[in-house]
Amino acid sequence: MEMDRQTIMVLFAAIIGLTLFGTMYLAPSKHEVQARPAYAVEDIRHKFQAEEAKNARKKTKAVATTPTMSSSSSSSSSENSENEEPPLDEEEAQEEPPIE
């Protein structure tokens, strides 16, 4: 009976060990990035690739130059009242016209 427990424990340890080994050493690398091919100027896809590169550069510049609002500035209702919807309390205060 004790031999069965030892055998089961060894099997569990082997399964866990093989699982860890497989996930760590046999998994594909996370740092592996597949580079897109650079098309020749004569290729019709070169035009699209150049446009995508320009758009990507514009997006990164736009993201880098847009100012971020802190939580303290977003709490002031007078500055942001034009862009935000009114709170639910104000909507409840408005009465609907009577139905005739």
Side-chain angles (χ1 to χ4, degrees):
M1 190 71 161
E2 189 172 323
M3 189 68 161
D4 292 337
R5 284 189 214 150
Q6 289 177 350
T7 305
I8 291 172
M9 294 303 282
V10 168
L11 286 174
F12 280 141
I15 290 171
I16 291 171
L18 287 173
T19 303
L20 291 175
F21 175 78
T23 56
M24 293 179 72
Y25 292 105
L26 301 178
S29 175
K30 293 179 183 177
H31 301 290
E32 216 173 276
V33 177
Q34 294 186 4
R36 295 185 64 190
Y39 299 115
V41 179
E42 300 86 24
D43 195 345
I44 193 168
R45 296 173 286 186
H46 176 73
K47 174 182 157 186
F48 299 117
Q49 188 177 30
E51 289 176 8
E52 287 177 2
K54 284 182 185 177
N55 291 340
R57 278 189 243 126
K58 285 181 183 177
K59 286 181 183 177
T60 56
K61 286 181 183 177
V63 169
T65 58
T66 54
T68 57
M69 301 180 89
S70 65
S71 61
S72 62
S73 66
S74 65
S75 63
S76 62
S77 62
S78 62
E79 295 175 5
N80 297 331
S81 63
E82 301 160 356
N83 297 334
E84 294 181 3
E85 296 180 352
L88 294 175
D89 298 334
E90 292 178 19
E91 291 178 359
E92 292 174 6
Q94 298 174 355
E95 293 182 17
E96 295 182 11
I99 299 174
E100 295 179 12

